[in-house]
Amino acid sequence: MGSQDSAAEARRPRRELTLLPSLGAFLVSAGLFLAHAAFLFPLHLDDPYITFRYGRNLARGDGLVWNVGEAPVEGFTSHAWVALAALAEASGSPPLLVAKLAGLAAGLLVLAVLAFGTRRLLPNASDRLAAALLLAASTSFVSMSVSGMENVAFAAAASLLIPLLGPWDAPDAAGQVTPRRAALAGLLSGLLVTIRPEGHVFVAVLLGALAFAARETRERRPLVAAGVAAGAVLVPFHVFRLATFGSLVPLTYLAKHTGEPFLERVASGLRWLGERGGPLLPIFFLALLSALVLLRGRAARASAALLAVFPAYAVAVGGDSSAFPGARLLLPALPFAAALAVAAVRRVTGGGVRAAAFSGLLLASFALAQVPDMTSLRRGLALDRRSGAAGGPARAAFDHLAELLDPRPLRLSSYLVVATPPGERIAVPWAGRVPYETGLATVDMLGLNDAHIARLPKLDRGVDVKYDPDYVLSKRPWYVCENFVLGGVPVTALARLSDDQLARLGAFRAGQRALLRSPLLARDYEVDGGIPNSAGGSITCFRRREPAR
């Protein structure tokens, strides 16, 4: 007994010493990540408020509905994020603050996985540090961490599969995944679907990798265990969705990514990938080289599939909305890409000082590639303009934190609450903050939360371009607001203007021009000159005329 205790005591310091380099890699990368996050902390997107509206309605007992009293619609992407918003609302916590803190925690979790969970792929602590620093330097990754959206939480949960996938550089027979570990990976991949629909990709890749392993080893228990565990989540989850919403396809996907010829959608997706995904593509290329050429294990094959699928998916759906910074559609595979890219450098250079130098060069070039995105964000793209006040980024971050702790509605939201009669509704193209803050029944003019508009064909190329002004006006909203600058042009004169003239007023989309030319708008609506930001600003609200008495 004494000799066993002595052996355990002897192993403990050795184990602690082996953890110290990983801890150092995590702390250094976490420092850079938090500094980067503080710089971008005032990032303010509209879309998180869509989730908050559903979360508030759920917390109040009204169900997963967009407008209270109407049928449930799946106008959100993440069930898990709606649940988080509902918990925040029920506890009286500001949901945006909770969502931002959850995003930061998720970002730190990814770094911890890279620092502690990739030792079988990256035995050298300096390589694990380089992989974590690639994430910490990525403006796409950090900006979405502080955005209030679920993308980095999804990437964090997906990164937990890295230590579960099996051997990276050995035949499957040399490192068979146990049924218990396979079941854990299957359960995790199933839970990913509740965070974002792309979780189905991880389920398919995991089961495919285990199926290949079963064919080589004739051991099917890991495959069965993973399939049963994933199914235990997916079957009840999708039964619930089908029973609640009547469909397995979210309105967000229908509104953004359907109704456009396939080749046009692919062209839009390629353009988005080049413009937004450009800084990440070299990392993905090195990672694919590592996974397909330099390594032989099941984990490498599975990662190669992920690295190919996510850019292909982004292209196939036509890219993403310009409202989101960076390349969020690629983030789920980024932890895998970072680890494999550093592994490629190590393999190609042979290790030692040369590998460290090339890893440093890779990191420096990647950091320089982030400068354009960082510069545009700091100039005010998708940032609260008040963050440009005197005091620099640190002061802006503290000011934003104060706003999160004591949130104040937009002046437009406050005005609409007072000016809209009880029982009336509004129609807006921003489905986030204004509908959330007003609590008014709302027609989502771009269809993210409207089943009719979501299923229409697109009239223009791109994302968030579906529109049906006749349908919107048939709902007779009290206010119809849009990003127009009419400059004193009477509503009755808008129908006579050319496309170019309407575009100069802010009507860039075909649907917007159809709205301004609608006889219903000219007959039943007038401009409300008292709307904040309407005179000389970028927002115009049309108010329904009351009938003469």
Side-chain angles (χ1 to χ4, degrees), residues 271-491:
R271 185 166 55 252
W272 176 89
L273 188 64
E275 294 174 355
R276 295 300 185 90
L280 301 182
L281 292 182
I283 303 299
F284 273 66
F285 174 78
L286 277 176
L288 276 170
L289 172 68
S290 180
L292 295 176
V293 179
L294 303 176
L295 299 173
R296 299 177 297 159
R298 173 173 54 256
R301 289 201 304 264
S303 298
L306 294 174
L307 295 169
V309 166
F310 277 97
Y313 167 77
V315 170
V317 299
D320 199 11
S321 170
S322 59
F324 301 118
R328 68 177 187 130
L329 295 183
L330 303 183
L331 292 186
L334 188 56
F336 297 82
L340 284 164
V342 174
V345 171
R346 170 69 59 175
R347 291 302 182 98
V348 170
T349 59
V353 176
R354 182 182 297 178
F358 274 90
S359 293
L361 181 61
L362 173 66
L363 181 59
S365 60
F366 181 74
L368 285 175
Q370 310 306 306
V371 171
D373 283 345
M374 173 68 77
T375 302
S376 65
L377 284 171
R378 288 303 307 173
R379 283 176 178 171
L381 177 63
L383 284 171
D384 188 325
R385 292 190 179 277
R386 286 171 290 181
S387 68
R395 175 59 183 275
F398 279 111
D399 288 346
H400 185 60
L401 179 59
E403 293 173 2
L404 293 175
L405 291 169
D406 185 22
R408 305 290 178 86
L410 295 170
R411 290 191 301 144
L412 175 61
S413 299
S414 299
Y415 185 94
L416 291 174
V417 168
V418 173
T420 305
E424 297 286 354
R425 66 182 66 216
I426 61 174
V428 296
W430 333 285
R433 188 170 180 179
V434 170
Y436 171 76
E437 291 179 342
T438 63
L440 297 169
T442 303
V443 181
D444 178 1
M445 295 169 68
L446 298 183
L448 296 176
N449 301 279
D450 190 286
H452 168 79
I453 297 176
R455 290 179 169 86
L456 292 175
K458 290 183 178 180
L459 302 178
D460 298 286
R461 286 188 180 183
V463 178
D464 293 335
V465 295
K466 292 190 176 182
Y467 221 92
D468 188 346
D470 291 337
Y471 168 80
V472 170
L473 294 174
S474 73
K475 297 283 187 178
R476 295 190 55 77
W478 187 256
Y479 278 106
V480 179
C481 299
E482 250 291 8
N483 296 307
F484 298 146
V485 184
L486 296 189
V489 178
V491 178

Side-chain angles (χ1 to χ4, degrees), residues 142-154:
V142 177
S143 63
M144 294 311 299
S145 297
V146 299
S147 69
M149 298 190 69
E150 74 283 349
N151 299 88
V152 173
F154 181 65

